[in-house]
Amino acid sequence: MKLLVTGGAGYIGSTVTTLLVEAGHEVTVLDDLSSGHESAVPDGTTFVKGRVQDAADDVLGAGDFDAVLHFAGFIEVAESVTQPDRYWENNVGGTLRLLDAMHRHGVGRLIFSSTGTVHGNTDQHPITETAGLAPLNPYAATKAAVDLMLPGYCAAWGLAATSLRYFNAAGALLRPDGRSCGEQHDPESHLIPIVLQVAAGERDTLALYGDDYDTPDGTCVRDYIHVADLASAHLLALAALQPGEHRIYNLGNGAGYSNLEVIQAVRDVTGHPVPVVRSARRPGDIVAQVASSAKAIAELGWQPQRPALRDIIGDAWAFGQDRSR
Ligand SMILES: NC(=O)c1ccc[n+]([C@@H]2O[C@H](COP(=O)([O-])OP(=O)(O)OC[C@H]3O[C@@H](n4cnc5c(N)ncnc54)[C@H](O)[C@@H]3O)[C@@H](O)[C@H]2O)c1
Ligand SMILES: O=c1ccn([C@@H]2O[C@H](COP(=O)(O)OP(=O)(O)O[C@H]3O[C@H](CO)[C@H](O)[C@H](O)[C@H]3O)[C@@H](O)[C@H]2O)c(=O)[nH]1
């Protein structure tokens, strides 16, 4: 297929693009490099530097695209709490402009990067796709808005769309020939890469946001999913798209780890100390969330290959060590 990947210079988009190219697809990456890196764009693709809002129309108009995988967006929960306007403009405004351009140029297939955080603090564990939407912060609200927007576009235009609700992406796609893909956010906000930076001596301490939550050890609980496993779900979801249908799949491993358990796992995997400073809760944080991916497993035939937290951390560590050499 001829594919447009928005946000393909980012962490998850570049990983998925690598698998798409390996599978023989022709890929154009559109990314404004607001948080991505041109060096992360996989070889064998066409790279266009630009904002989705400004450039998607020209890019889609210039070629016979079969589908779009839409990763581009702002992703930081805490930032979204202080700058909601930027999040609505980029995540929802960008998606609206992309959908306009797709419609104008007859591109009828879309995979959208949604998030498990749309469900907020639900009592349901593990969380299925039918759990209610209760976003706790503007970032999650922008993703929920797009999830709610897509069924209407599918019904009216015959669009084939799937929202993949990722839980916590982590790890790295390791390739022996230097084409590895991993997390390189700057500044980094995600737990595993930050804890690894502490283990590597690049930061002195880990600020642990909240230790008085109603969880077994008082810290928040998350479901970590290897980025390579997330990536493989995109190829399956792409093949399963159906005109006029909006599908949703939650993607996680079905296992919850507290922040303290993650920190201890990093100490075990790396053999390095991780000093922790107990800090205030982070605004907008969900207490605990674990995915049910039974639907993706049953309908897409998806099967995570590296579900163990220690393997996920080990691959992220290997990626970071490789880059720092
Ligand atoms: N990382 C996670 O754990 C996680 C979890 C759930 C959902 N998601 C979603 O997955 C997607 C990818 O996340 P990621 O972790 O790879 O983030 P990332 O920041 O590494 O990648 C996002 C990419 O989009 C680009 N971008 C942002 N706005 C753009 C715009 N308007 N036009 C063009 N390019 C733009 C950035 O430069 C970056 O390369 C995001 O939509 C995010 O909300 C991520
Ligand atoms: O320095 C840090 C960083 C994080 N945390 C804690 O670690 C947990 C995980 O935080 P992350 O920022 O790694 O991940 P989130 O669950 O907040 O959110 C991430 O995963 C979500 C999906 O579940 C979203 O989609 C979002 O894009 C992405 O940031 C939270 O309790 C957070 O407070 C710390 O204690 N210290």
Side-chain angles (χ1 to χ4, degrees):
M1 283 197 254
K2 184 165 178 182
L3 304 171
L4 174 63
V5 176
T6 75
Y11 171 43
I12 303 171
S14 65
T15 307
V16 175
T17 299
T18 297
L19 295 197
L20 291 170
V21 171
E22 285 176 0
H25 296 290
E26 183 184 342
V27 181
T28 296
V29 167
L30 172 60
D31 197 300
D32 65 1
L33 303 181
S34 53
S35 67
H37 308 272
E38 191 166 350
S39 58
V41 178
D43 292 343
T45 61
T46 301
F47 175 58
V48 178
K49 183 180 173 195
R51 291 180 89 214
V52 169
Q53 292 87 322
D54 308 325
D57 192 48
D58 283 349
V59 173
L60 290 177
D64 239 352
F65 284 88
D66 296 298
V68 177
L69 294 96
H70 182 38
F71 298 91
F74 293 152
I75 69 161
E76 286 185 35
V77 170
E79 189 180 68
S80 81
V81 173
T82 56
Q83 303 176 38
D85 51 333
R86 288 183 65 233
Y87 276 71
W88 284 100
E89 197 287 320
N90 201 36
N91 293 4
V92 175
T95 304
L96 284 168
R97 298 290 77 78
L98 176 67
L99 287 164
D100 288 347
M102 289 175 66
H103 191 44
R104 193 169 306 118
H105 301 295
V107 183
R109 283 179 264 202
L110 175 72
I111 304 289
F112 173 65
S113 298
S114 184
T115 167
T117 56
V118 295
H119 299 296
N121 282 321
T122 167
D123 289 337
Q124 197 190 98
H125 293 286
I127 302 170
T128 63
E129 293 78 1
T130 54
L133 299 181
L136 289 187
N137 53 68
Y139 164 75
T142 64
K143 295 290 178 176
V146 174
D147 284 354
L148 289 171
M149 185 193 294
L150 288 174
Y153 283 71
C154 293
W157 294 352
L159 178 71
T162 289
S163 295
L164 296 178
R165 288 187 181 148
Y166 319 149
F167 283 62
N168 287 61
L173 177 71
L174 300 176
R175 287 286 189 261
D177 57 2
R179 292 179 303 121
S180 298
C181 304
E183 211 162 349
Q184 306 179 59
H185 298 130
D186 184 20
E188 185 55 69
S189 67
H190 289 155
L191 181 65
I192 287 180
I194 291 179
V195 181
L196 288 172
Q197 287 173 1
V198 178
E202 294 163 18
R203 288 179 190 239
D204 294 338
T205 55
L206 183 273
L208 177 64
Y209 300 140
D211 62 357
D212 57 351
Y213 286 100
D214 184 17
T215 59
D217 66 18
T219 65
C220 295
V221 171
R222 295 290 186 271
D223 182 351
Y224 292 91
I225 171 81
H226 197 292
V227 70
D229 286 330
L230 265 192
S232 70
H234 289 72
L235 276 76
L236 296 168
L238 188 61
L241 285 169
Q242 291 296 330
E245 272 186 26
H246 176 232
R247 296 187 182 186
I248 300 174
Y249 295 104
N250 284 358
L251 299 174
N253 278 313
Y257 293 94
S258 74
N259 295 341
L260 282 173
E261 287 175 320
V262 169
I263 292 162
Q264 188 54 45
V266 168
R267 292 184 182 120
D268 296 344
V269 168
T270 66
H272 291 284
V274 177
V276 169
V277 175
R278 292 178 186 251
S279 310
R281 291 182 176 193
R282 187 173 66 175
D285 253 358
I286 285 175
V287 179
Q289 57 166 8
V290 174
S292 164
S293 297
K295 187 177 171 201
I297 291 165
E299 293 187 8
L300 300 177
W302 181 60
Q303 206 48 254
Q305 300 300 307
R306 285 180 83 67
L309 181 65
R310 280 169 171 67
D311 290 339
I312 294 172
I313 289 172
D315 289 352
W317 175 247
F319 177 76
Q321 293 299 100
D322 192 41
R323 277 195 308 129
S324 52
R325 266 200 289 276

